[in-house]
Amino acid sequence: MLPILNDYLDRLQALHADIRRAITGLPQAALDWSPGPEMNSLAVLAAHIAGSERYWIGDVAGGEPSGRDRAAEFQTKAADADSLLARLDAALAHSQTVLERLTLPELEEPRRMPPGSARGERVVTGAWALAHALEHVAIHVGHTQIVRQLWDQAHADK
């Protein structure tokens, strides 16, 4: 693996560890709880993190279509912590596989984002897709941490 991609994988693994800490040990009610209208539950955030990571690293940077159903990620309910963690682990394992085979020239190559993606059809480099994936995961890790804190505060006496 390229040294820069090894460093990238280290950061991605650290973010996954943060997600794991945010959802481990919570009851089902906590995973499906939303702190307010138009706000995502931990289950939705975990499903979306896994789906978006698989899309940006696998589909776009790696050129391996996943058949992602982005809208379904936001409908996730009644998924227990183990199944959410398995989903995240599968995304991370696939990301590692892609990162192990990518070359520097491939990072510079243009990649056409599939039609129907959230950002619309456009062309980005493999490197841009990787940078965006890490940024996107990190933002949502922060969301999971905040939702976990709000759950803990709202249910401290229960």
Side-chain angles (χ1 to χ4, degrees), residues 23 28-36 38-48 73-78 84 140 143-144 147-148:
I23 66 176
Q28 185 64 56
L31 297 171
D32 287 337
W33 178 78
S34 171
E38 303 299 316
M39 297 178 81
N40 293 315
S41 68
L42 289 168
V44 165
L45 287 165
H48 180 60
E73 296 162 15
F74 292 95
Q75 302 303 314
T76 303
K77 276 196 173 294
L84 293 170
H140 287 311
H143 295 152
T144 64
V147 171
R148 173 64 190 254

Side-chain angles (χ1 to χ4, degrees), residues 12-119:
L12 192 58
Q13 289 170 330
L15 290 169
H16 274 257
D18 290 340
I19 301 165
R20 185 173 288 280
R21 280 189 289 279
I23 66 176
T24 296
L26 287 176
Q28 185 64 56
L31 297 171
D32 287 337
W33 178 78
S34 171
E38 303 299 316
M39 297 178 81
N40 293 315
S41 68
L42 289 168
V44 165
L45 287 165
H48 180 60
I49 290 167
S52 68
E53 178 182 324
R54 172 60 178 89
Y55 173 78
W56 286 106
I57 297 174
D59 290 37
V60 180
E64 298 175 359
S66 64
R68 177 186 186 198
D69 182 354
R70 184 179 185 277
E73 296 162 15
F74 292 95
Q75 302 303 314
T76 303
K77 276 196 173 294
D80 62 24
D82 289 342
S83 67
L84 293 170
L85 292 171
R87 198 170 180 171
L88 288 159
D89 289 346
L92 183 60
H94 186 267
S95 294
Q96 181 172 349
T97 300
V98 171
L99 295 169
E100 286 172 346
R101 70 164 174 74
L102 284 175
T103 65
L104 283 176
E106 288 175 313
L107 295 177
E108 296 173 345
E109 289 175 3
R111 305 277 199 238
R112 180 166 301 282
M113 293 171 45
S117 68
R119 293 189 170 260

